[in-house]
Amino acid sequence: MKAEKAATPIRRASIGARRNPASQAAILAAARAVLAEDGYAGFSIDAVSRRAGAGKPTIYRWWKSRADLLMEVYAAEKARIRAVPTGDLGRDLTEHTKELWAFWWGTPSGRTFRALLAEAQSDPDALAALREKFLPERLLDVRGLFAAAAARGDIPTEEIEARLALYIGFNWFYVLTDQLEAGQAAIPVAMRLIAASSRS
Amino acid sequence: MKAEKAATPIRRASIGARRNPASQAAILAAARAVLAEDGYAGFSIDAVSRRAGAGKPTIYRWWKSRADLLMEVYAAEKARIRAVPTGDLGRDLTEHTKELWAFWWGTPSGRTFRALLAEAQSDPDALAALREKFLPERLLDVRGLFAAAAARGDIPTEEIEARLALYIGFNWFYVLTDQLEAGQAAIPVAMRLIAASSRS
């Protein structure tokens, strides 16, 4: 994703801090494997270090915490899902939500995402990273759907934040209560309300 | 009749399992004090036991986990906020949300609530308690607002679940990202959309 590339200061980093693509990929693959096998409970920099055959200092040089590493693993997986506006915000949101839920449901990513949100409740650094980097990057596509609808005049620009919050919260409610199957029926209704062309 | 006596649980319970209102109140007060002073990070049955001068077995007899005790502390505090339908769902939801956020913001309850949601991501018992007991009880009032609106014909009955999920998720998003101040502006727009009298 563009935002991720822009956020990786490869050029400006010192040689020591520069990411070696091969070991970086090995560490991310090890992190994914640890998550898939042991879930978040068994996920630690120690476990990833053993699995990757990489020293902990190497891992910590690139990711400053377990949450940081988790966020990058999640981001790489999530990049598979893209949302492109078709001209109908309600339909676009419905399709994107179904894709997102299938992704959460069918991969360890749902549990990873829940773990990240949980981690952010007790670790201020994780919360700051979630709010200021992770969420803005992950939500670029969805924000684009709302921006396109506003550009078409379908929704007021000044309501994008509130509608986006409704969208995010709706998904969080179902994933955090582990009700992604039962919640399917609510998706079209909720997305229609979020996309409604109301002006007060 | 013997059968009737047998059906009265108080008679059958041992004295030990019966809740003693005075020590129960002392334990809940101690739990509140520990939360207020040390937050969720310092919250443990050990700490509550020391503070209340009550044995851990006594606490565990009444609450089977830290999450259980937290949920009861939270519920007692939250009971101060009531929602009564006035005939305008959008207005009722807006008022209730503002009260809820002020409660989360102005007491340790906001942090307690976030801790409960976090706990439920790693503890299946806590998740089950959250989903099957805690949330249905805490949401009775809000569900009543939606039911009243449906009874008036303002919203379709079959859309209550989706609208309630939007309502819950919106609040969760702002409390879990610790943005209750910045999010204020989004409340009226979001509640108007959730309360919209749309039918497809």
Side-chain angles (χ1 to χ4, degrees), chain B residues 32 35-36 73-74 77-78 80-81 99-113 180:
Chain B
R32 266 194 300 277
L35 269 176
V73 170
Y74 182 88
E77 301 277 315
K78 170 104 192 296
R80 291 193 279 123
I81 305 179
E99 265 198 277
L100 176 66
W101 289 23
F103 165 67
W104 277 343
W105 183 259
T107 73
S109 295
R111 296 204 67 85
T112 304
F113 185 75
L180 291 179

Side-chain angles (χ1 to χ4, degrees), chain B residues 57-103:
Chain B
T58 304
I59 300 179
Y60 276 117
R61 199 183 304 137
W62 296 332
W63 295 280
K64 69 177 195 293
S65 68
R66 181 169 80 143
D68 249 30
L69 181 52
L70 269 185
M71 285 187 200
E72 186 152 338
V73 170
Y74 182 88
E77 301 277 315
K78 170 104 192 296
R80 291 193 279 123
I81 305 179
R82 304 306 308 270
V84 179
T86 65
D88 180 334
L89 179 58
R91 193 177 57 196
D92 290 348
L93 290 175
T94 300
E95 288 310 304
H96 190 61
T97 304
K98 286 180 179 171
E99 265 198 277
L100 176 66
W101 289 23
F103 165 67

Side-chain angles (χ1 to χ4, degrees), chain A residues 57-106:
Chain A
T58 304
I59 300 179
Y60 276 117
R61 198 183 306 138
W62 296 330
W63 296 280
K64 68 178 194 292
S65 68
R66 182 169 80 144
D68 250 30
L69 181 52
L70 270 184
M71 286 186 201
E72 186 151 340
V73 169
Y74 182 88
E77 300 279 313
K78 171 105 191 298
R80 290 193 280 123
I81 306 179
R82 304 307 307 267
V84 180
T86 66
D88 180 333
L89 179 58
R91 193 177 58 196
D92 290 348
L93 290 175
T94 299
E95 287 311 303
H96 190 59
T97 304
K98 286 180 178 170
E99 265 198 277
L100 176 66
W101 289 23
F103 165 68
W104 277 343
W105 182 259

Side-chain angles (χ1 to χ4, degrees), chain A residues 20-194:
Chain A
N20 172 324
S23 42
Q24 186 192 347
I27 292 165
L28 287 172
R32 265 193 301 277
V34 169
L35 270 175
E37 284 168 28
D38 306 326
Y40 180 65
F43 187 81
S44 64
I45 298 287
D46 266 331
V48 173
S49 161
R50 279 193 302 274
R51 181 93 183 201
K56 282 170 68 178
T58 304
I59 300 179
Y60 276 117
R61 198 183 306 138
W62 296 330
W63 296 280
K64 68 178 194 292
S65 68
R66 182 169 80 144
D68 250 30
L69 181 52
L70 270 184
M71 286 186 201
E72 186 151 340
V73 169
Y74 182 88
E77 300 279 313
K78 171 105 191 298
R80 290 193 280 123
I81 306 179
R82 304 307 307 267
V84 180
T86 66
D88 180 333
L89 179 58
R91 193 177 58 196
D92 290 348
L93 290 175
T94 299
E95 287 311 303
H96 190 59
T97 304
K98 286 180 178 170
E99 265 198 277
L100 176 66
W101 289 23
F103 165 68
W104 277 343
W105 182 259
T107 72
S109 295
R111 295 204 69 83
T112 304
F113 185 75
R114 292 170 60 190
L116 279 174
L117 280 183
E119 192 88 346
Q121 305 315 310
S122 56
D123 174 353
D125 285 343
L127 177 61
L130 179 86
R131 199 167 54 191
E132 280 136 44
K133 184 168 183 301
F134 179 82
L135 287 178
E137 289 177 2
R138 301 289 82 65
L139 291 164
L140 263 183
D141 269 17
V142 174
R143 186 177 283 280
L145 298 181
F146 284 100
R152 290 192 304 267
D154 292 348
I155 62 166
T157 302
E158 65 273 20
E159 292 189 359
I160 289 180
E161 291 311 315
R163 290 171 188 254
L164 189 57
L166 281 171
Y167 174 83
I168 300 167
F170 178 81
N171 290 313
W172 286 17
F173 169 67
Y174 283 110
V175 76
L176 291 179
T177 55
D178 198 15
Q179 295 183 110
L180 291 178
E181 275 190 311
Q184 294 280 337
I187 296 176
V189 174
M191 297 308 136
R192 193 197 70 229
L193 292 170
I194 294 174

